[in-house]
Amino acid sequence: MHKPSCDNDRMAGEFTDSEIESGRRLFAADWHFIAAAASPTSLPPMRGLEIALAGRSNVGKSSLLNALTGRKHLARTSRTPGRTQELVFFAADKKFTLVDMPGYGYAAAAKVKIAAWTGLIDAYLQGRANLARVYVLVDARHGLKDTDGPMLGALGQAGLSYQVVLTKIDALTSAQCAERIEQTETELARSAAAFPQVLATSARSGAGVAQLRAAIARLLAERR
């Protein structure tokens, strides 16, 4: 059986030139911070469609968000797990919002604080009617771990569609990355809420970023 590779040719073949261009234009706009919510009561009003980025602490959510928007410092990045402690909202217009979610799993914070983040995330997932999809970021070097289970379970319970995006693929060889994609897609096949295709990216090298933009542009076009 032919195994997938992690090169751009493989991923580019899954999207048309028009979708790649739509994704480029979508994220070429003037993205900016609009709100941060530390509790369910401080969530901003719903407007347009939202896409959220979730993942374990230090998986590279903020770095990938910066790569998507072409803004080096739009989202704060840190080597300290748990740095993102709120739901952070970014937008370029009123039609589409990106949400950077607090990392789960290990975090350099008190248990009571982590419990508050968990409650915030659950409230957001259950009550955000304009949330089109959650992209769950997974470090390609490690794959899905037990700490991803509660998040995937919460997404399924909320009836939300999610798609796994591998990060940091520049740390793997093409063969290693292909194996990780296949392994991850096999594990996700048991989840009805999971989108069957796994995307692979690197915020550092830019690999797969254009394809992720195209995937988001395609989703927004379908939902609108």
Side-chain angles (χ1 to χ4, degrees), residues 66-149:
N66 288 338
L68 280 170
T69 60
R71 302 283 297 277
K72 291 184 179 180
H73 306 295
L74 181 64
R76 294 186 303 173
T77 59
S78 173
R79 293 185 179 181
T80 303
R83 177 67 181 271
T84 302
Q85 301 180 6
E86 303 166 305
L87 287 165
V88 186
F89 296 74
F90 303 94
D93 57 39
K94 294 183 178 180
K95 297 180 180 178
F96 172 43
T97 301
L98 278 170
V99 185
D100 188 8
M101 299 177 66
Y104 53 81
Y106 170 81
K111 290 184 178 180
V112 64
K113 184 67 175 178
I114 297 173
W117 301 344
T118 302
L120 170 63
I121 290 171
D122 287 344
Y124 173 70
L125 296 179
Q126 293 284 349
R128 209 67 175 175
N130 64 333
L131 181 57
R133 178 168 293 168
V134 177
Y135 287 89
V136 181
L137 275 53
V138 172
D139 191 325
R141 298 171 299 178
H142 309 300
L144 287 166
K145 304 188 91 172
D146 290 343
T147 47
D148 292 306

Side-chain angles (χ1 to χ4, degrees), residues 151-175:
M151 172 56 73
L152 302 187
L155 290 168
Q157 187 173 6
L160 286 169
S161 167
Y162 69 87
Q163 184 169 12
V164 167
V165 178
L166 298 179
T167 62
K168 307 182 183 182
I169 63 169
D170 55 287
L172 304 181
T173 65
S174 182

